[in-house]
Amino acid sequence: MDLKKLKTLDFTEEAEILKIIGHPTRLKIICGIIEQDLCVSDIGDCLDEPQPKISQHLALLRAKGIVRAEREGLNIKYKVVHPLAIKIAKILEKEKLKD
Amino acid sequence: MDLKKLKTLDFTEEAEILKIIGHPTRLKIICGIIEQDLCVSDIGDCLDEPQPKISQHLALLRAKGIVRAEREGLNIKYKVVHPLAIKIAKILEKEKLKD
DNA sequence: TCCGTATATTCAAATATTTTAATATTGCTA
DNA sequence: TAGCAATATTAAAATATTTGAATATACGGA
């Protein structure tokens, strides 16, 4: 891409998504729910983190439109909905499963 | 991926890369130099940011192994070398060129 | 070797993020 | 409707990042 074109582009939104995803706990949450929806307590089990902390991270992800919550009886299940986040999670999952 | 497998994985390094890239200036730098190597002053022109700021961001990117510097006469040219960063920059470039 | 151009470093102030702990809310079921 | 299980919110303290301004270094050419 030439410099003139680049000059007109703005990467603010994409950067924000990357920054939010770029946290070990949140990234693991996202990779965890990319294939299957999970509820908060499952995620907590998986990460060995206290429930409120998981909820806080999920709240951030929700606020940025990266995940969506859906009540299912007693639990609330989360799924990834942001296209860029989905792409990145899939790339990472693939890399991780190589080993 | 099942929960047991997920539990054994660590996403710390990937998260760090994403976080570093997840800054508007740095992301634009990376997308700018994905196809062509650029020197600091070209990057500065393109972003309308003071030179020391650009250098600071480049230093961070260098420290994390995301870009590499190469002197070329009077200038120093930068290129992206981190595989994950390259993948993401290419995804974003493609998206941006759609519009 | 002195000068100018290009780039890098440093440090302090402002700002943002993360963590922790306590507590609140929601909805099911007895 | 009381109690329990699941999830969410809040606020303060600790920590990390970002910015801005000043200054330093490195290299090539006269």
Side-chain angles (χ1 to χ4, degrees):
Chain A
M1 183 164 20
D2 66 7
L3 282 186
K4 262 188 197 161
K5 173 73 181 168
L6 183 62
K7 212 165 178 170
T8 66
L9 297 178
D10 179 53
F11 287 87
T12 311
E13 281 182 37
E14 290 84 356
E16 179 145 48
I17 297 299
L18 292 172
K19 185 169 78 176
I20 296 286
I21 290 180
H23 179 287
T25 303
R26 291 195 291 266
L27 188 55
K28 196 160 180 182
I29 290 175
I30 289 175
C31 289
I33 62 180
I34 193 71
E35 279 190 338
Q36 63 200 309
D37 302 356
L38 288 180
C39 66
V40 179
S41 52
D42 285 343
I43 297 171
D45 278 357
C46 196
L47 299 182
D48 279 324
E49 299 269 17
Q51 174 271 318
K53 207 166 157 185
I54 302 291
S55 277
Q56 281 174 326
H57 286 304
L58 287 170
L60 234 188
L61 292 168
R62 239 185 306 136
K64 301 296 176 186
I66 296 172
V67 304
R68 186 166 298 155
E70 224 159 89
R71 180 168 285 276
E72 196 163 297
L74 208 51
N75 300 321
I76 296 186
K77 291 207 159 183
Y78 277 86
K79 58 159 46 122
V80 191
V81 295
H82 192 289
L84 179 57
I86 292 175
K87 274 186 192 162
I88 293 175
K90 285 187 174 165
I91 289 173
L92 293 180
E93 202 198 10
K94 209 166 154 190
E95 292 292 319
K96 287 296 186 184
L97 290 181
K98 268 187 196 166
D99 318 324
Chain B
M1 183 165 17
D2 67 8
L3 282 186
K4 261 187 197 161
K5 174 72 180 169
L6 183 63
K7 212 165 176 171
T8 66
L9 298 177
D10 179 54
F11 288 87
T12 311
E13 281 183 36
E14 290 85 356
E16 179 146 50
I17 298 299
L18 292 172
K19 185 169 76 176
I20 297 287
I21 291 180
H23 179 288
T25 303
R26 291 194 293 266
L27 188 56
K28 196 160 181 181
I29 289 176
I30 290 175
C31 290
I33 63 180
I34 194 70
E35 278 190 341
Q36 61 199 312
D37 302 357
L38 289 180
C39 68
V40 180
S41 52
D42 285 345
I43 297 172
D45 278 358
C46 195
L47 299 183
D48 279 324
E49 299 269 16
Q51 175 271 318
K53 207 166 155 183
I54 302 291
S55 277
Q56 279 174 329
H57 286 303
L58 286 170
L60 235 187
L61 291 168
R62 239 185 305 133
K64 302 295 176 185
I66 296 172
V67 303
R68 187 166 298 155
E70 225 159 87
R71 180 169 286 275
E72 197 162 297
L74 208 49
N75 300 321
I76 296 186
K77 291 209 161 181
Y78 277 87
K79 59 157 46 120
V80 190
V81 293
H82 192 290
L84 180 56
I86 293 175
K87 274 186 192 161
I88 292 174
K90 284 188 174 163
I91 289 174
L92 292 180
E93 202 198 10
K94 210 167 156 190
E95 293 291 318
K96 288 294 187 187
L97 291 182
K98 270 188 196 168
D99 320 323

